[in-house]
Amino acid sequence: MMGSTHALTGWCAGLALAPAIGAGSVHQALAFAATTAGFALLPDLDHPHARASKLLGPITGLVCWLLRHTSAALYKVTKGPRDERGRGSHRHLSHTLLFAIGLGVATTYGTRAGGWYVVAGVVLFALLLAADALGDWLLLVAGGGVVWWALTASAAAELSQLTGWLGIAVAAGCFVHCLGDALTESGCPFLFPVPIAGETWYELRPPSFLRFRTGKGVEKFLVVPVFTVLAVLLVPGAWPGLVGLFAEPAVTAGG
């Protein structure tokens, strides 16, 4: 999947999940979804040419190097008899459910220990990841959102309440990334270390007629438009507002 598609699907997943985990206010739902959108790009940190790997220069470059070598070492000692002969440095460790859960748990404990400062740092990092994929306009929107938040709510109090949820947003973002990659031709080994058909790193993918190639017509002209519309409609209050906007003239005319 393209980076922009990962970010869009992550945003939509975050907005859909936010009410279920108790992100009660609009502010919290948007911060939760922004985190999910950003971390839906993070698994590609295992590729040196990915945008995520270049985001913070040598800092993310070092993380990329460590992740690639860790993944390759793990692949070497765990690969099954029918796994491919590749190094296992890309689309392996960071593209697993195990990685998503582990990073989510680490985020939960980190935010609980550090409070709203750490929460704000995680959300900001996620926004930078998403903006790198979707465009700098997102940073302008986010800046306006911060001003709006400061004027309409207590930012510290709202962020503090996210400490118990942000790990879920991080894990969900990584999982959405894996799910998206599983729909492409390459597939995704996100059930590692469960052995399937002699492979420890079995690439899950749907039947061939349901797969699509990254950056081609199906993704650009079907997947992206659909999730762009959902990205707006899932914002809390957006759907009732649109319904009311179009329904009100009809009521007036009838009266």
Side-chain angles (χ1 to χ4, degrees):
M1 267 189 171
M2 300 183 298
S4 56
T5 311
H6 280 308
L8 278 172
T9 54
W11 171 263
C12 292
L15 288 177
L17 188 59
I21 56 88
S25 71
V26 176
H27 308 86
Q28 292 171 354
L30 295 181
F32 185 92
T35 303
T36 308
F39 279 85
L41 294 155
L42 188 117
D44 278 342
L45 199 63
D46 67 353
H47 195 293
H49 300 301
R51 300 177 72 98
S53 302
K54 300 177 180 179
L55 180 66
L56 299 178
I59 298 175
T60 46
L62 176 61
V63 176
C64 171
W65 185 88
L66 290 171
L67 183 56
R68 286 174 59 79
H69 281 73
T70 302
S71 180
L74 183 62
Y75 182 73
K76 185 176 182 180
V77 299
T78 60
K79 65 180 179 180
R82 298 188 62 184
D83 277 311
E84 57 193 25
R85 293 186 176 182
R87 293 186 64 236
S89 56
H90 175 52
R91 271 199 179 186
H92 281 76
L93 176 58
S94 63
H95 287 66
T96 64
L97 184 59
L98 190 65
F99 178 86
I101 294 173
L103 192 60
V105 170
T107 303
T108 296
Y109 281 102
T111 52
R112 284 178 176 170
W116 76 269
Y117 293 102
V118 177
V119 172
V122 173
V123 175
L124 177 59
F125 178 62
L127 278 171
L128 290 174
L129 283 168
D132 195 47
L134 295 173
D136 292 340
W137 62 269
L138 184 58
L139 292 179
L140 295 175
V141 173
V146 170
V147 173
W148 164 70
W149 193 337
L151 293 174
T152 59
S154 172
E158 294 270 10
L159 286 173
S160 295
Q161 293 179 43
L162 282 174
T163 55
W165 306 330
L166 215 60
I168 298 174
V170 168
C174 293
F175 176 76
V176 168
H177 180 105
C178 295
L179 190 60
D181 279 354
L183 296 175
T184 65
E185 294 289 340
S186 299
C188 186
F190 66 87
L191 287 185
F192 166 84
V194 178
I196 301 175
E199 296 182 39
T200 310
W201 299 83
Y202 184 84
E203 290 91 353
L204 288 177
R205 54 174 69 86
S208 57
F209 68 91
L210 291 176
R211 303 175 206 160
F212 59 86
R213 296 185 64 186
T214 300
K216 298 303 181 181
V218 172
E219 183 173 7
K220 286 184 175 180
F221 303 115
L222 177 61
V223 178
V224 170
V226 167
F227 279 96
T228 299
V229 173
L230 285 175
V232 176
L233 295 181
L234 286 172
V235 172
W239 176 249
L242 286 173
V243 171
L245 181 65
F246 288 103
E248 188 175 350
V251 172
T252 304

